[in-house]
Amino acid sequence: MAPLPTHSAEPDDSPDAYVGLPADRAERIARERGWSTVRALPPGAIITMEYLVGRLNFEVRNGSVARSWKG
């Protein structure tokens, strides 16, 4: 039987900490804290609901992070 894939642990970081920050600064901080993928999305963007370990999503409105979530 093939071994189960192992995923890297997500950073011990709260997505709420990024809300209100300028998007470029938030992305830089997220990468420094160990997020492997940082994705900036416009409000109302259509995205898949697949969960990706190590990914942090930002909803960016007027250049600032309005919402942030894992996956």
Side-chain angles (χ1 to χ4, degrees):
M1 182 181 265
L4 294 174
T6 57
H7 299 285
S8 301
E10 290 181 333
D12 184 22
D13 191 23
S14 172
D16 294 335
Y18 298 93
V19 175
L21 294 176
D24 57 341
R25 181 170 173 224
E27 181 176 349
R28 185 176 61 253
I29 292 169
R31 291 188 187 283
E32 288 171 359
R33 291 182 180 171
W35 292 100
S36 57
T37 304
V38 180
R39 180 167 68 167
L41 303 160
I46 297 171
I47 59 172
T48 63
M49 295 303 294
E50 83 180 313
Y51 190 90
L52 181 61
V53 174
R55 178 169 63 192
L56 189 62
N57 299 290
F58 295 146
E59 180 179 295
V60 178
R61 206 176 283 147
N62 298 321
S64 294
V65 177
R67 184 170 80 108
S68 179
W69 68 98
K70 296 178 182 184

